[in-house]
Amino acid sequence: MSSTDKVFAGSIPKIYDEYLVPLIFSHYAADIARRVAALSPSTLLETAAGTGAVTRAVAAALPAGIRYVATDLNEPMLAVAAQHQSEDERMSWRQADATALPFDDATFDVVCCQFGAMFFPDRIMGYAEAKRVLRPEGTFVFNVWDRIEENMFADEATAVLGKIFPDDPPRFMARTPHGYHDKAVINADLERAGFRHISIETLPAVSRAPTPEYVAFAYCQGTPLRNEIEARDASKLQAATDAVAEAIRTRHGAGPVEGKIQALVITAQP
């Protein structure tokens, strides 16, 4: 993982929340919310909450009287999440590292995490921390993106940027969000962290956007791809965004566009 892969700062959190969340995250947030609600937790921890796509969905699905703690390593992302969540006495927000959680053992019924495990510098430690804070019969629910070839717009954007910067192609999307998809590896990492009952499900969906420009702006300026583009040539940010939009327009048309997305959804218990 590059040192810039976890940098969600400046305008990125706001663009990420306004563009990328409806584009690719909302469907999977609703899925996580259904799974969490079915477990009927009284105490719930969310790690790597980002701008709160899952937080909003899960909070809406759970009854009064529960305790819900949402955490993220990145304070600018968490600030956006908190701003979007209405006043809720069930909720608390805390900056925290998923690989070194500031909570006592056996505190939560459920730990959930949406598209965060790929960013853990030590995934086994992150999973071990989830297990540590879970109660004995608790459940860890999380998801990761499948390989980039199964995620059309991310793949197309990466291909275009590779042509613009052929000597040093920006590979953030392939390297990190779509770089942890081997089911055998995920299963082994969870087992090494102490989980024994593990289920991994492939879940395809469709990503939709009103225009190709929307997609290009979301990926090129609402993710750490922006950091990679600007590190190579900051003056080319808009040109790179326009090139991605043109490629999507050529393939999918100038109006509303759609493309396949695919994730893996994992549930694990000790």
Side-chain angles (χ1 to χ4, degrees):
M1 185 186 303
S2 167
S3 61
T4 65
D5 284 5
K6 296 188 290 183
V7 179
F8 289 78
S11 62
I12 291 177
K14 185 174 185 294
I15 297 170
Y16 175 102
D17 190 67
E18 291 183 5
Y19 286 78
L20 214 61
V21 166
L23 184 65
I24 61 173
F25 291 121
S26 293
H27 175 84
Y28 292 105
D31 175 73
I32 290 284
R34 287 191 294 269
R35 294 170 192 264
V36 169
L39 295 167
S40 301
S42 60
T43 54
L44 169 67
L45 171 67
E46 182 182 353
T47 59
T51 60
V54 164
T55 315
R56 295 188 286 273
V58 171
L62 294 179
I66 60 118
R67 177 188 174 221
Y68 186 176
V69 183
T71 68
D72 196 275
L73 179 65
N74 191 299
E75 289 190 277
M77 297 285 274
L78 205 61
V80 172
Q83 288 169 6
H84 282 290
Q85 189 73 30
S86 58
E87 188 69 25
D88 190 335
E89 63 182 10
R90 303 172 302 170
M91 294 286 309
S92 61
W93 305 89
R94 185 161 180 179
Q95 191 274 337
D97 184 344
T99 64
L101 292 169
F103 306 107
D104 292 337
D105 296 358
T107 300
F108 299 97
D109 298 315
V110 172
V111 175
C112 68
C113 180
Q114 166 138 293
F115 300 120
M118 307 90 71
F119 293 89
F120 295 173
D122 185 333
R123 296 185 186 104
I124 295 170
M125 180 62 72
Y127 298 159
E129 278 292 273
K131 179 180 178 294
R132 179 184 66 79
V133 302
L134 277 172
R135 291 175 177 149
E137 301 300 319
T139 303
F140 182 28
V141 182
F142 69 104
N143 54 20
V144 297
W145 289 115
D146 205 344
R147 64 194 189 110
I148 196 167
E149 293 82 0
E150 301 291 349
N151 290 268
M152 185 173 291
F153 292 142
D155 195 28
E156 291 172 351
T158 299
V160 172
L161 294 175
K163 294 176 182 177
I164 296 173
F165 302 100
D167 296 331
D168 187 14
R171 296 288 295 169
F172 164 73
M173 297 304 302
R175 179 178 59 247
T176 300
H178 299 283
Y180 184 62
H181 53 77
D182 188 313
K183 292 181 180 180
V185 171
I186 296 168
N187 193 86
D189 287 348
L190 285 163
E191 287 183 341
R192 289 179 65 187
F195 288 98
R196 292 294 174 262
H197 305 286
I198 301 163
S199 171
I200 304 177
E201 175 185 346
T202 301
L203 189 62
V206 176
S207 174
R208 294 182 174 87
T211 64
E213 290 78 12
Y214 182 108
V215 177
F217 186 68
Y219 279 101
C220 294
Q221 302 196 32
T223 76
L225 262 183
R226 177 174 186 151
N227 303 328
E228 290 196 305
I229 294 167
E230 291 184 327
R232 286 154 179 78
D233 188 340
S235 70
K236 290 186 177 180
L237 176 62
Q238 190 57 51
T241 305
D242 292 343
V244 171
E246 177 59 28
I248 294 172
R249 187 182 307 110
T250 299
R251 181 168 182 180
H252 302 279
V257 294
E258 62 179 45
K260 179 184 178 182
I261 51 177
Q262 187 160 291
L264 306 178
V265 184
I266 303 98
T267 58
Q269 295 176 314

